[in-house]
Amino acid sequence: MAELRGPKTLVLQITAVVRDPGGFLTVSGHFENEGTTSLVIPSALRGDETAILKHGSSLGGATLVDPEGKKRYYVLRDTDGRPLTTTGLTTLAAGRTTPVFMQFPAPPPNAVRLVLHVPTFTAGIVEVSE
């Protein structure tokens, strides 16, 4: 669906963007290390908000942009401020992958082409599958 290139040989492959009946949008995929040595997954992925920083490594800094509706959507958080994303990201061995997900508030039903921004990665256009 989309490929976002990160630092060195780290790639984020997005495989699904699904709207669920509860009003959420889940972005799923995996990190892949295309290199020949282990990589540290950047801590910058969690963003710089104090509420997210105290919960460790995550994809809490990711955002979705609806270019037509001119709105930005931030990763959802639970009642304790933890981001609703994959957490505990540390290193990735050469040639390996690890699954990831991020949950956002669902944009309006007519918003199907969105731009995914993840800190330190190129942006990528993703399409919502109903």
Side-chain angles (χ1 to χ4, degrees):
M1 175 177 278
E3 178 179 278
L4 285 70
R5 303 255 314 124
K8 300 183 182 177
T9 57
L10 191 58
V11 177
L12 175 56
Q13 297 281 347
I14 301 301
T15 56
V17 180
V18 179
R19 192 184 308 267
D20 73 31
F24 305 113
L25 188 77
T26 302
V27 177
S28 303
H30 62 267
F31 278 125
E32 180 177 357
N33 180 354
E34 295 182 332
T36 57
T37 60
S38 293
L39 281 177
V40 173
I41 295 176
S43 61
L45 296 177
R46 66 184 178 186
D48 59 5
E49 292 182 45
T50 306
I52 288 181
L53 289 176
K54 68 181 180 180
H55 296 292
S57 64
S58 72
L59 293 165
T63 60
L64 275 176
V65 174
D66 171 7
E68 293 203 16
K70 299 190 183 337
K71 282 193 152 188
R72 180 178 303 268
Y73 298 89
Y74 295 87
V75 166
L76 291 169
R77 297 179 192 137
D78 68 11
T79 55
D80 292 325
R82 288 185 294 266
L84 299 181
T85 72
T86 302
T87 59
L89 301 165
T90 56
T91 59
L92 190 58
R96 302 293 295 208
T97 64
T98 190
V100 295
F101 79 94
M102 298 159 266
Q103 281 194 320
F104 298 90
N110 64 333
V112 292
R113 284 181 57 91
L114 305 166
V115 181
L116 178 64
H117 295 269
V118 177
T120 74
F121 281 74
T122 58
I125 296 173
V126 297
E127 292 195 16
V128 179
S129 56
E130 296 300 326

